[in-house]
Amino acid sequence: MRLSVMCYKIAMSALKSTEKQISIKAPWGKIAGLTWGDSKNPPVLLCPGRMEPCSAFRPLVQLLPSTFFYVAVDLPGNGWSDHLPKGVKYLVYDLVPTVVRVMEHYKWEQFMYIGHSLGAVVGKYFNMAYPGRMTRAVDLDPIPAYYTSRASRMGAWYHEYYGEYYSDEKYAKFNGSADTAPKYTYEQVRKMFIDTQGLTEEAAEHVLERSLEPAGDGLYRLTYDQRMKQVPLMPFPPSYVQELYTSTNIPIFGILAQHIINIGTYDDVPFIRDESAWPHKNYKVKIVEGNHDVHVNDPGCMADDISKFLLAGIKAKL
């Protein structure tokens, strides 16, 4: 245990001092992000979830091996990245090009991937569209990736995601300018994030760092695109989701939050907890105590396992 703690402290010290801001050009605007480590090292791309900035990965990355180059991005409509053009809704497919742009910017032939929540879905769709580029993936409580629906619920699915979006009121709300956004004191929004997302005080500071901008008179407004509040998830039946995901053969490490399991979120997709259900024997799963944001609240509970998983990717090439 003492050796493990010492290794964490060494890794944290080595990576913390290398943090840099990045901005990558894309047709719709800029992709903002953070990097840690030497760009000559094997790359690891990190994509956060819905309405979550890349700085949420900082506590975890600082506990990972310094032998990698970590690139964490703000997906469009999040953090300091530009929003997609106003009008239509965001789809998961619209976020995949962000991964492509980062890959092309750094001229990566291959890379490893860590995705939280919506970021995990983006990674899965990228891997299917660009096979051979992603060598292994870590899915951090990937709730949206395992969303399922049945044929009988197609009408309900449409109304949930699209029913009112194109009404005058909702369209104006989701596509309004920053001037119409609510304004808060820092303490108000900090308390809101702690209460609604179950973040620790330290975790909230990492998230708010790139989620707020000054709005005048000592007030702040949130930077995320209002359309990110409701990104439509594909209404696939459970059997198809299983066929889709288990068809890949890259190593995948799923980390699930116990609280999310307890409330039944994954009940319709039992294969997510059954390593034997993956025919290529490429899937490992770990269940950790905590909520959906356990990766930022308590990264120490998973850092050692993720480190071993990433390092195995290097050994596999030797």
Side-chain angles (χ1 to χ4, degrees), residues 5-302:
V5 171
M6 184 182 300
C7 290
Y8 284 159
K9 289 183 177 179
I10 293 173
M12 182 182 296
S13 175
L15 288 171
K16 187 174 183 179
S17 62
T18 67
E19 181 175 303
K20 296 179 181 177
Q21 301 281 350
I22 59 168
S23 179
I24 298 172
K25 291 182 179 180
W28 61 87
K30 72 175 180 181
I31 301 169
L34 295 170
T35 69
W36 297 267
D38 189 335
S39 61
K40 297 183 180 66
N41 288 338
V44 179
L45 177 61
L46 301 98
C47 281
R50 183 176 60 90
M51 298 188 298
E52 179 182 39
C54 63
S55 50
F57 280 119
R58 183 184 290 119
L60 174 61
V61 168
Q62 291 180 353
L63 296 181
L64 298 180
S66 58
T67 49
F68 297 97
F69 177 51
Y70 301 94
V71 178
V73 296
D74 292 328
L75 289 170
N78 294 274
W80 294 352
S81 286
D82 286 336
H83 300 184
L84 292 180
K86 296 291 186 182
V88 298
K89 291 178 71 72
Y90 281 79
L91 292 176
V92 175
Y93 305 119
D94 298 315
L95 303 176
V96 172
T98 298
V99 178
V100 178
R101 281 282 163 171
V102 175
M103 178 183 68
E104 292 175 342
H105 174 80
Y106 287 106
K107 297 180 173 59
W108 294 338
E109 289 297 322
Q110 293 183 314
F111 61 95
M112 289 181 271
Y113 186 89
I114 299 175
H116 172 240
S117 194
L118 186 66
V121 194
V122 174
K124 289 183 180 299
Y125 286 2
F126 170 89
N127 185 49
M128 288 183 279
Y130 298 89
R133 307 306 294 270
M134 185 183 294
T135 59
R136 55 183 50 215
V138 179
D139 294 345
L140 300 177
D141 209 35
I143 294 174
Y146 291 87
Y147 172 88
T148 62
S149 187
R150 301 183 187 277
S152 60
R153 292 199 68 255
M154 185 61 196
W157 174 88
Y158 175 82
H159 287 291
E160 177 182 354
Y161 286 113
Y162 286 94
E164 296 185 356
Y165 177 78
Y166 289 104
S167 68
D168 291 341
E169 179 183 352
K170 293 291 184 180
Y171 190 84
K173 175 182 177 181
F174 284 113
N175 293 281
S177 68
D179 294 335
T180 64
K183 300 175 183 179
Y184 310 90
T185 65
Y186 185 84
E187 187 55 36
Q188 283 176 325
V189 73
R190 177 176 169 276
K191 185 177 186 303
M192 180 172 64
F193 271 63
I194 291 174
D195 292 346
T196 59
Q197 294 184 215
L199 296 176
T200 64
E201 292 188 4
E202 180 183 350
E205 295 297 329
H206 288 293
V207 172
L208 291 177
E209 174 187 315
R210 298 171 75 91
S211 298
L212 295 177
E213 63 182 9
D217 299 323
L219 301 177
Y220 298 86
R221 55 177 165 248
L222 295 164
T223 59
Y224 63 73
D225 192 322
Q226 290 293 314
R227 292 171 292 173
M228 287 299 295
K229 287 184 174 180
Q230 199 176 49
V231 177
L233 302 171
M234 297 302 99
F236 298 145
S239 59
Y240 182 67
V241 171
Q242 180 170 354
E243 179 184 355
L244 199 63
Y245 293 162
T246 61
S247 65
T248 184
N249 59 7
I250 69 166
I252 299 172
F253 182 28
I255 298 180
L256 311 180
Q258 185 66 62
H259 172 71
I260 301 303
I261 291 174
N262 291 346
I263 62 177
T265 302
Y266 296 120
D267 285 356
D268 288 339
V269 286
F271 73 95
I272 193 176
R273 287 183 282 170
D274 182 5
E275 295 177 0
S276 66
W278 298 67
H280 296 289
K281 309 302 178 185
N282 59 322
Y283 181 73
K284 299 294 182 183
V285 64
K286 176 183 176 71
I287 298 172
V288 297
E289 291 296 329
N291 63 17
H292 185 53
D293 291 300
V294 64
H295 69 295
V296 61
N297 281 335
D298 184 19
C301 74
M302 62 182 73

